[in-house]
Amino acid sequence: MSVEETKQARHKARQQKVKQEVDARVAAATEEKGLLLIITGNGKGKSTSGFGTIARAVGHGLNCAVAQFIKGTWDNGERNLLEKLGVEFQVMATGFTWETQNKQADIDAAQVVWQECKRMLQDEHLDVILFDELTYMVSYGYVELDEVIEALNNRPKMQSVIITGRGAHRSLIEIADTVSEVKNIKHAFESGVKALKGVDW
């Protein structure tokens, strides 16, 4: 057997072993339920990832809804697309807290959207829901952590929920099925580059 043939044989043996391990893990995953996914961290792309999952679900014919906290009234590319495809949006629409500078108004606006979130979490016809930037509302105390956990735990069995935002509370992380942390390595804005429509927002 030549050196090249030996390399190919070793490669094939390694790949067969990997396949056996993956097949075994797939076979062992028998539970079916909706997932709670949390996308947190200080890097850019958390909302983008959440919306990507919503787009994927819509592409598979699933019913989806989105609640956005903190976002302002500016043009929203994801909403422009997804509402046309039947995705419900509930938007806090007050902008960032440093823009409103009115804590009570922010709390009131957050509570209005949160009531819609609770409705969504009781709707068995909704397959996938995105709660964009909900972590901030919990951190600020605008929405009660215990109330969020209770609503998540009592949702329909096959309903999946995605929560995005920095600083996800450890209690949310504990009940989540999948948690991803987006790390900030470099950001154009830090170099004075203006946010680009269609890429950054």
Side-chain angles (χ1 to χ4, degrees), residues 160-194:
S160 293
V161 178
I162 309 151
I163 296 174
T164 68
R166 294 186 182 201
H169 194 282
R170 63 183 179 278
S171 296
L172 290 173
I173 289 174
E174 285 173 5
I175 66 169
D177 297 290
T178 300
V179 180
S180 297
E181 183 176 15
V182 181
K183 182 179 179 181
N184 188 38
I185 295 174
K186 190 176 183 181
H187 198 302
F189 182 70
E190 294 168 353
S191 301
V193 179
K194 188 175 180 179

PDB file of all heavy atoms in Angstrom, residues 160-194:
ATOM      1  N   SER A 160     -41.212  26.781  20.755  1.00  0.00           N
ATOM      2  CA  SER A 160     -39.824  27.189  20.985  1.00  0.00           C
ATOM      3  C   SER A 160     -39.748  28.694  21.169  1.00  0.00           C
ATOM      4  O   SER A 160     -40.498  29.450  20.548  1.00  0.00           O
ATOM      5  CB  SER A 160     -38.929  26.770  19.822  1.00  0.00           C
ATOM      6  OG  SER A 160     -38.824  25.354  19.764  1.00  0.00           O
ATOM      7  N   VAL A 161     -38.834  29.124  22.035  1.00  0.00           N
ATOM      8  CA  VAL A 161     -38.669  30.546  22.343  1.00  0.00           C
ATOM      9  C   VAL A 161     -37.189  30.900  22.260  1.00  0.00           C
ATOM     10  O   VAL A 161     -36.332  30.169  22.766  1.00  0.00           O
ATOM     11  CB  VAL A 161     -39.200  30.878  23.756  1.00  0.00           C
ATOM     12  CG1 VAL A 161     -38.970  32.353  24.087  1.00  0.00           C
ATOM     13  CG2 VAL A 161     -40.679  30.534  23.868  1.00  0.00           C
ATOM     14  N   ILE A 162     -36.913  32.035  21.630  1.00  0.00           N
ATOM     15  CA  ILE A 162     -35.557  32.563  21.542  1.00  0.00           C
ATOM     16  C   ILE A 162     -35.522  33.870  22.323  1.00  0.00           C
ATOM     17  O   ILE A 162     -36.360  34.751  22.101  1.00  0.00           O
ATOM     18  CB  ILE A 162     -35.155  32.849  20.083  1.00  0.00           C
ATOM     19  CG1 ILE A 162     -35.421  31.629  19.205  1.00  0.00           C
ATOM     20  CG2 ILE A 162     -33.706  33.296  19.991  1.00  0.00           C
ATOM     21  CD1 ILE A 162     -35.729  31.979  17.763  1.00  0.00           C
ATOM     22  N   ILE A 163     -34.571  33.999  23.228  1.00  0.00           N
ATOM     23  CA  ILE A 163     -34.385  35.237  23.990  1.00  0.00           C
ATOM     24  C   ILE A 163     -33.004  35.781  23.675  1.00  0.00           C
ATOM     25  O   ILE A 163     -32.008  35.049  23.756  1.00  0.00           O
ATOM     26  CB  ILE A 163     -34.521  34.985  25.506  1.00  0.00           C
ATOM     27  CG1 ILE A 163     -35.944  34.523  25.848  1.00  0.00           C
ATOM     28  CG2 ILE A 163     -34.159  36.236  26.306  1.00  0.00           C
ATOM     29  CD1 ILE A 163     -36.130  34.117  27.296  1.00  0.00           C
ATOM     30  N   THR A 164     -32.940  37.066  23.329  1.00  0.00           N
ATOM     31  CA  THR A 164     -31.648  37.686  23.035  1.00  0.00           C
ATOM     32  C   THR A 164     -31.377  38.826  24.003  1.00  0.00           C
ATOM     33  O   THR A 164     -32.279  39.344  24.651  1.00  0.00           O
ATOM     34  CB  THR A 164     -31.591  38.230  21.595  1.00  0.00           C
ATOM     35  OG1 THR A 164     -32.478  39.349  21.478  1.00  0.00           O
ATOM     36  CG2 THR A 164     -31.961  37.173  20.580  1.00  0.00           C
ATOM     37  N   GLY A 165     -30.103  39.218  24.060  1.00  0.00           N
ATOM     38  CA  GLY A 165     -29.706  40.376  24.857  1.00  0.00           C
ATOM     39  C   GLY A 165     -28.513  40.074  25.740  1.00  0.00           C
ATOM     40  O   GLY A 165     -28.240  38.929  26.094  1.00  0.00           O
ATOM     41  N   ARG A 166     -27.815  41.122  26.101  1.00  0.00           N
ATOM     42  CA  ARG A 166     -26.651  40.971  26.975  1.00  0.00           C
ATOM     43  C   ARG A 166     -27.080  40.574  28.387  1.00  0.00           C
ATOM     44  O   ARG A 166     -28.200  40.836  28.805  1.00  0.00           O
ATOM     45  CB  ARG A 166     -25.881  42.298  27.066  1.00  0.00           C
ATOM     46  CG  ARG A 166     -25.251  42.737  25.767  1.00  0.00           C
ATOM     47  CD  ARG A 166     -24.406  43.973  25.979  1.00  0.00           C
ATOM     48  NE  ARG A 166     -23.836  44.434  24.727  1.00  0.00           N
ATOM     49  CZ  ARG A 166     -22.763  45.211  24.625  1.00  0.00           C
ATOM     50  NH1 ARG A 166     -22.156  45.613  25.729  1.00  0.00           N
ATOM     51  NH2 ARG A 166     -22.309  45.577  23.461  1.00  0.00           N
ATOM     52  N   GLY A 167     -26.134  40.004  29.104  1.00  0.00           N
ATOM     53  CA  GLY A 167     -26.309  39.759  30.526  1.00  0.00           C
ATOM     54  C   GLY A 167     -27.515  38.925  30.899  1.00  0.00           C
ATOM     55  O   GLY A 167     -28.238  39.269  31.830  1.00  0.00           O
ATOM     56  N   ALA A 168     -27.743  37.826  30.185  1.00  0.00           N
ATOM     57  CA  ALA A 168     -28.870  36.955  30.521  1.00  0.00           C
ATOM     58  C   ALA A 168     -28.749  36.492  31.968  1.00  0.00           C
ATOM     59  O   ALA A 168     -27.681  36.059  32.407  1.00  0.00           O
ATOM     60  CB  ALA A 168     -28.907  35.753  29.587  1.00  0.00           C
ATOM     61  N   HIS A 169     -29.839  36.589  32.705  1.00  0.00           N
ATOM     62  CA  HIS A 169     -29.841  36.191  34.110  1.00  0.00           C
ATOM     63  C   HIS A 169     -29.519  34.703  34.241  1.00  0.00           C
ATOM     64  O   HIS A 169     -29.966  33.893  33.428  1.00  0.00           O
ATOM     65  CB  HIS A 169     -31.203  36.505  34.732  1.00  0.00           C
ATOM     66  CG  HIS A 169     -31.213  36.458  36.223  1.00  0.00           C
ATOM     67  ND1 HIS A 169     -31.251  35.278  36.924  1.00  0.00           N
ATOM     68  CD2 HIS A 169     -31.168  37.462  37.149  1.00  0.00           C
ATOM     69  CE1 HIS A 169     -31.249  35.548  38.226  1.00  0.00           C
ATOM     70  NE2 HIS A 169     -31.194  36.868  38.387  1.00  0.00           N
ATOM     71  N   ARG A 170     -28.764  34.350  35.269  1.00  0.00           N
ATOM     72  CA  ARG A 170     -28.348  32.948  35.452  1.00  0.00           C
ATOM     73  C   ARG A 170     -29.541  32.008  35.568  1.00  0.00           C
ATOM     74  O   ARG A 170     -29.466  30.846  35.148  1.00  0.00           O
ATOM     75  CB  ARG A 170     -27.443  32.816  36.677  1.00  0.00           C
ATOM     76  CG  ARG A 170     -28.081  33.175  37.998  1.00  0.00           C
ATOM     77  CD  ARG A 170     -27.081  33.073  39.149  1.00  0.00           C
ATOM     78  NE  ARG A 170     -27.681  33.446  40.419  1.00  0.00           N
ATOM     79  CZ  ARG A 170     -27.821  34.701  40.839  1.00  0.00           C
ATOM     80  NH1 ARG A 170     -27.403  35.697  40.067  1.00  0.00           N
ATOM     81  NH2 ARG A 170     -28.369  34.961  42.012  1.00  0.00           N
ATOM     82  N   SER A 171     -30.664  32.495  36.112  1.00  0.00           N
ATOM     83  CA  SER A 171     -31.849  31.637  36.240  1.00  0.00           C
ATOM     84  C   SER A 171     -32.437  31.307  34.875  1.00  0.00           C
ATOM     85  O   SER A 171     -32.958  30.204  34.668  1.00  0.00           O
ATOM     86  CB  SER A 171     -32.901  32.314  37.122  1.00  0.00           C
ATOM     87  OG  SER A 171     -32.413  32.472  38.433  1.00  0.00           O
ATOM     88  N   LEU A 172     -32.363  32.255  33.937  1.00  0.00           N
ATOM     89  CA  LEU A 172     -32.814  31.982  32.575  1.00  0.00           C
ATOM     90  C   LEU A 172     -31.870  31.000  31.891  1.00  0.00           C
ATOM     91  O   LEU A 172     -32.305  30.089  31.184  1.00  0.00           O
ATOM     92  CB  LEU A 172     -32.907  33.285  31.776  1.00  0.00           C
ATOM     93  CG  LEU A 172     -34.023  34.248  32.167  1.00  0.00           C
ATOM     94  CD1 LEU A 172     -33.897  35.558  31.406  1.00  0.00           C
ATOM     95  CD2 LEU A 172     -35.384  33.615  31.915  1.00  0.00           C
ATOM     96  N   ILE A 173     -30.579  31.187  32.128  1.00  0.00           N
ATOM     97  CA  ILE A 173     -29.592  30.278  31.540  1.00  0.00           C
ATOM     98  C   ILE A 173     -29.799  28.858  32.049  1.00  0.00           C
ATOM     99  O   ILE A 173     -29.688  27.886  31.293  1.00  0.00           O
ATOM    100  CB  ILE A 173     -28.167  30.779  31.845  1.00  0.00           C
ATOM    101  CG1 ILE A 173     -27.899  32.057  31.020  1.00  0.00           C
ATOM    102  CG2 ILE A 173     -27.118  29.715  31.539  1.00  0.00           C
ATOM    103  CD1 ILE A 173     -26.589  32.738  31.331  1.00  0.00           C
ATOM    104  N   GLU A 174     -30.152  28.730  33.316  1.00  0.00           N
ATOM    105  CA  GLU A 174     -30.347  27.407  33.912  1.00  0.00           C
ATOM    106  C   GLU A 174     -31.515  26.651  33.286  1.00  0.00           C
ATOM    107  O   GLU A 174     -31.448  25.434  33.099  1.00  0.00           O
ATOM    108  CB  GLU A 174     -30.562  27.547  35.422  1.00  0.00           C
ATOM    109  CG  GLU A 174     -29.285  27.846  36.192  1.00  0.00           C
ATOM    110  CD  GLU A 174     -29.550  28.154  37.655  1.00  0.00           C
ATOM    111  OE1 GLU A 174     -30.715  28.036  38.099  1.00  0.00           O
ATOM    112  OE2 GLU A 174     -28.591  28.526  38.357  1.00  0.00           O
ATOM    113  N   ILE A 175     -32.593  27.361  32.946  1.00  0.00           N
ATOM    114  CA  ILE A 175     -33.763  26.658  32.391  1.00  0.00           C
ATOM    115  C   ILE A 175     -33.698  26.519  30.878  1.00  0.00           C
ATOM    116  O   ILE A 175     -34.516  25.823  30.282  1.00  0.00           O
ATOM    117  CB  ILE A 175     -35.095  27.333  32.796  1.00  0.00           C
ATOM    118  CG1 ILE A 175     -35.231  28.728  32.164  1.00  0.00           C
ATOM    119  CG2 ILE A 175     -35.237  27.395  34.308  1.00  0.00           C
ATOM    120  CD1 ILE A 175     -36.612  29.322  32.301  1.00  0.00           C
ATOM    121  N   ALA A 176     -32.735  27.184  30.245  1.00  0.00           N
ATOM    122  CA  ALA A 176     -32.621  27.139  28.786  1.00  0.00           C
ATOM    123  C   ALA A 176     -32.110  25.783  28.314  1.00  0.00           C
ATOM    124  O   ALA A 176     -31.379  25.095  29.017  1.00  0.00           O
ATOM    125  CB  ALA A 176     -31.692  28.243  28.294  1.00  0.00           C
ATOM    126  N   ASP A 177     -32.496  25.412  27.108  1.00  0.00           N
ATOM    127  CA  ASP A 177     -31.991  24.193  26.474  1.00  0.00           C
ATOM    128  C   ASP A 177     -30.672  24.445  25.764  1.00  0.00           C
ATOM    129  O   ASP A 177     -29.770  23.607  25.767  1.00  0.00           O
ATOM    130  CB  ASP A 177     -33.016  23.657  25.461  1.00  0.00           C
ATOM    131  CG  ASP A 177     -34.313  23.259  26.137  1.00  0.00           C
ATOM    132  OD1 ASP A 177     -34.311  22.256  26.873  1.00  0.00           O
ATOM    133  OD2 ASP A 177     -35.317  23.967  25.947  1.00  0.00           O
ATOM    134  N   THR A 178     -30.579  25.601  25.137  1.00  0.00           N
ATOM    135  CA  THR A 178     -29.375  25.962  24.383  1.00  0.00           C
ATOM    136  C   THR A 178     -29.020  27.411  24.704  1.00  0.00           C
ATOM    137  O   THR A 178     -29.886  28.288  24.648  1.00  0.00           O
ATOM    138  CB  THR A 178     -29.606  25.819  22.864  1.00  0.00           C
ATOM    139  OG1 THR A 178     -29.949  24.459  22.568  1.00  0.00           O
ATOM    140  CG2 THR A 178     -28.368  26.202  22.078  1.00  0.00           C
ATOM    141  N   VAL A 179     -27.767  27.641  25.051  1.00  0.00           N
ATOM    142  CA  VAL A 179     -27.293  28.997  25.346  1.00  0.00           C
ATOM    143  C   VAL A 179     -26.055  29.265  24.506  1.00  0.00           C
ATOM    144  O   VAL A 179     -25.106  28.473  24.519  1.00  0.00           O
ATOM    145  CB  VAL A 179     -26.958  29.173  26.840  1.00  0.00           C
ATOM    146  CG1 VAL A 179     -26.464  30.596  27.109  1.00  0.00           C
ATOM    147  CG2 VAL A 179     -28.165  28.847  27.711  1.00  0.00           C
ATOM    148  N   SER A 180     -26.082  30.374  23.780  1.00  0.00           N
ATOM    149  CA  SER A 180     -24.919  30.780  22.990  1.00  0.00           C
ATOM    150  C   SER A 180     -24.466  32.151  23.458  1.00  0.00           C
ATOM    151  O   SER A 180     -25.289  33.029  23.731  1.00  0.00           O
ATOM    152  CB  SER A 180     -25.275  30.845  21.500  1.00  0.00           C
ATOM    153  OG  SER A 180     -25.651  29.578  21.023  1.00  0.00           O
ATOM    154  N   GLU A 181     -23.151  32.323  23.549  1.00  0.00           N
ATOM    155  CA  GLU A 181     -22.582  33.609  23.952  1.00  0.00           C
ATOM    156  C   GLU A 181     -21.840  34.211  22.767  1.00  0.00           C
ATOM    157  O   GLU A 181     -20.924  33.592  22.218  1.00  0.00           O
ATOM    158  CB  GLU A 181     -21.641  33.445  25.140  1.00  0.00           C
ATOM    159  CG  GLU A 181     -21.086  34.765  25.639  1.00  0.00           C
ATOM    160  CD  GLU A 181     -20.229  34.603  26.879  1.00  0.00           C
ATOM    161  OE1 GLU A 181     -19.834  33.460  27.192  1.00  0.00           O
ATOM    162  OE2 GLU A 181     -19.947  35.611  27.528  1.00  0.00           O
ATOM    163  N   VAL A 182     -22.242  35.415  22.386  1.00  0.00           N
ATOM    164  CA  VAL A 182     -21.601  36.113  21.276  1.00  0.00           C
ATOM    165  C   VAL A 182     -20.530  37.034  21.855  1.00  0.00           C
ATOM    166  O   VAL A 182     -20.831  37.928  22.647  1.00  0.00           O
ATOM    167  CB  VAL A 182     -22.636  36.928  20.471  1.00  0.00           C
ATOM    168  CG1 VAL A 182     -21.955  37.624  19.302  1.00  0.00           C
ATOM    169  CG2 VAL A 182     -23.755  36.020  19.976  1.00  0.00           C
ATOM    170  N   LYS A 183     -19.296  36.800  21.479  1.00  0.00           N
ATOM    171  CA  LYS A 183     -18.173  37.557  22.024  1.00  0.00           C
ATOM    172  C   LYS A 183     -17.761  38.679  21.076  1.00  0.00           C
ATOM    173  O   LYS A 183     -17.685  38.485  19.867  1.00  0.00           O
ATOM    174  CB  LYS A 183     -16.985  36.611  22.254  1.00  0.00           C
ATOM    175  CG  LYS A 183     -15.776  37.276  22.877  1.00  0.00           C
ATOM    176  CD  LYS A 183     -14.656  36.260  23.090  1.00  0.00           C
ATOM    177  CE  LYS A 183     -13.421  36.918  23.681  1.00  0.00           C
ATOM    178  NZ  LYS A 183     -12.324  35.946  23.856  1.00  0.00           N
ATOM    179  N   ASN A 184     -17.504  39.834  21.655  1.00  0.00           N
ATOM    180  CA  ASN A 184     -17.077  40.973  20.851  1.00  0.00           C
ATOM    181  C   ASN A 184     -15.558  40.958  20.698  1.00  0.00           C
ATOM    182  O   ASN A 184     -14.827  41.062  21.669  1.00  0.00           O
ATOM    183  CB  ASN A 184     -17.515  42.285  21.518  1.00  0.00           C
ATOM    184  CG  ASN A 184     -17.259  43.477  20.621  1.00  0.00           C
ATOM    185  OD1 ASN A 184     -17.437  43.401  19.416  1.00  0.00           O
ATOM    186  ND2 ASN A 184     -16.825  44.581  21.201  1.00  0.00           N
ATOM    187  N   ILE A 185     -15.099  40.805  19.470  1.00  0.00           N
ATOM    188  CA  ILE A 185     -13.669  40.850  19.182  1.00  0.00           C
ATOM    189  C   ILE A 185     -13.310  42.191  18.539  1.00  0.00           C
ATOM    190  O   ILE A 185     -12.318  42.818  18.892  1.00  0.00           O
ATOM    191  CB  ILE A 185     -13.260  39.677  18.270  1.00  0.00           C
ATOM    192  CG1 ILE A 185     -13.476  38.348  19.016  1.00  0.00           C
ATOM    193  CG2 ILE A 185     -11.809  39.816  17.816  1.00  0.00           C
ATOM    194  CD1 ILE A 185     -13.245  37.114  18.187  1.00  0.00           C
ATOM    195  N   LYS A 186     -14.158  42.647  17.634  1.00  0.00           N
ATOM    196  CA  LYS A 186     -13.904  43.895  16.917  1.00  0.00           C
ATOM    197  C   LYS A 186     -15.228  44.406  16.382  1.00  0.00           C
ATOM    198  O   LYS A 186     -16.063  43.618  15.933  1.00  0.00           O
ATOM    199  CB  LYS A 186     -12.923  43.635  15.770  1.00  0.00           C
ATOM    200  CG  LYS A 186     -12.385  44.853  15.080  1.00  0.00           C
ATOM    201  CD  LYS A 186     -11.342  44.427  14.042  1.00  0.00           C
ATOM    202  CE  LYS A 186     -10.714  45.632  13.368  1.00  0.00           C
ATOM    203  NZ  LYS A 186      -9.722  45.227  12.360  1.00  0.00           N
ATOM    204  N   HIS A 187     -15.442  45.716  16.436  1.00  0.00           N
ATOM    205  CA  HIS A 187     -16.692  46.295  15.937  1.00  0.00           C
ATOM    206  C   HIS A 187     -16.375  47.578  15.184  1.00  0.00           C
ATOM    207  O   HIS A 187     -15.650  48.440  15.686  1.00  0.00           O
ATOM    208  CB  HIS A 187     -17.650  46.577  17.100  1.00  0.00           C
ATOM    209  CG  HIS A 187     -19.076  46.768  16.672  1.00  0.00           C
ATOM    210  ND1 HIS A 187     -19.466  47.733  15.775  1.00  0.00           N
ATOM    211  CD2 HIS A 187     -20.203  46.106  17.026  1.00  0.00           C
ATOM    212  CE1 HIS A 187     -20.770  47.664  15.589  1.00  0.00           C
ATOM    213  NE2 HIS A 187     -21.243  46.676  16.333  1.00  0.00           N
ATOM    214  N   ALA A 188     -16.937  47.701  13.998  1.00  0.00           N
ATOM    215  CA  ALA A 188     -16.654  48.859  13.139  1.00  0.00           C
ATOM    216  C   ALA A 188     -16.986  50.181  13.828  1.00  0.00           C
ATOM    217  O   ALA A 188     -16.282  51.185  13.657  1.00  0.00           O
ATOM    218  CB  ALA A 188     -17.439  48.735  11.833  1.00  0.00           C
ATOM    219  N   PHE A 189     -18.062  50.214  14.620  1.00  0.00           N
ATOM    220  CA  PHE A 189     -18.494  51.444  15.285  1.00  0.00           C
ATOM    221  C   PHE A 189     -17.393  51.996  16.199  1.00  0.00           C
ATOM    222  O   PHE A 189     -17.241  53.208  16.337  1.00  0.00           O
ATOM    223  CB  PHE A 189     -19.766  51.160  16.093  1.00  0.00           C
ATOM    224  CG  PHE A 189     -20.332  52.364  16.777  1.00  0.00           C
ATOM    225  CD1 PHE A 189     -20.933  53.386  16.055  1.00  0.00           C
ATOM    226  CD2 PHE A 189     -20.272  52.485  18.162  1.00  0.00           C
ATOM    227  CE1 PHE A 189     -21.456  54.506  16.689  1.00  0.00           C
ATOM    228  CE2 PHE A 189     -20.785  53.593  18.805  1.00  0.00           C
ATOM    229  CZ  PHE A 189     -21.388  54.609  18.065  1.00  0.00           C
ATOM    230  N   GLU A 190     -16.625  51.092  16.804  1.00  0.00           N
ATOM    231  CA  GLU A 190     -15.543  51.518  17.701  1.00  0.00           C
ATOM    232  C   GLU A 190     -14.431  52.241  16.944  1.00  0.00           C
ATOM    233  O   GLU A 190     -13.629  52.953  17.545  1.00  0.00           O
ATOM    234  CB  GLU A 190     -14.975  50.301  18.442  1.00  0.00           C
ATOM    235  CG  GLU A 190     -15.979  49.673  19.395  1.00  0.00           C
ATOM    236  CD  GLU A 190     -15.527  48.323  19.913  1.00  0.00           C
ATOM    237  OE1 GLU A 190     -14.492  47.812  19.431  1.00  0.00           O
ATOM    238  OE2 GLU A 190     -16.211  47.782  20.801  1.00  0.00           O
ATOM    239  N   SER A 191     -14.392  52.051  15.632  1.00  0.00           N
ATOM    240  CA  SER A 191     -13.401  52.736  14.801  1.00  0.00           C
ATOM    241  C   SER A 191     -13.994  53.957  14.116  1.00  0.00           C
ATOM    242  O   SER A 191     -13.392  54.530  13.211  1.00  0.00           O
ATOM    243  CB  SER A 191     -12.853  51.773  13.740  1.00  0.00           C
ATOM    244  OG  SER A 191     -12.268  50.650  14.346  1.00  0.00           O
ATOM    245  N   GLY A 192     -15.208  54.326  14.539  1.00  0.00           N
ATOM    246  CA  GLY A 192     -15.848  55.517  13.985  1.00  0.00           C
ATOM    247  C   GLY A 192     -16.618  55.279  12.708  1.00  0.00           C
ATOM    248  O   GLY A 192     -16.964  56.231  12.006  1.00  0.00           O
ATOM    249  N   VAL A 193     -16.909  54.020  12.390  1.00  0.00           N
ATOM    250  CA  VAL A 193     -17.644  53.704  11.171  1.00  0.00           C
ATOM    251  C   VAL A 193     -19.146  53.738  11.470  1.00  0.00           C
ATOM    252  O   VAL A 193     -19.620  53.105  12.414  1.00  0.00           O
ATOM    253  CB  VAL A 193     -17.253  52.317  10.621  1.00  0.00           C
ATOM    254  CG1 VAL A 193     -18.046  51.999   9.351  1.00  0.00           C
ATOM    255  CG2 VAL A 193     -15.757  52.265  10.334  1.00  0.00           C
ATOM    256  N   LYS A 194     -19.886  54.457  10.661  1.00  0.00           N
ATOM    257  CA  LYS A 194     -21.327  54.615  10.844  1.00  0.00           C
ATOM    258  C   LYS A 194     -22.063  53.293  10.568  1.00  0.00           C
ATOM    259  O   LYS A 194     -21.675  52.518   9.695  1.00  0.00           O
ATOM    260  CB  LYS A 194     -21.838  55.692   9.879  1.00  0.00           C
ATOM    261  CG  LYS A 194     -23.282  56.091  10.077  1.00  0.00           C
ATOM    262  CD  LYS A 194     -23.638  57.249   9.141  1.00  0.00           C
ATOM    263  CE  LYS A 194     -25.099  57.651   9.331  1.00  0.00           C
ATOM    264  NZ  LYS A 194     -25.447  58.793   8.439  1.00  0.00           N
TER     265      LYS A 194
END
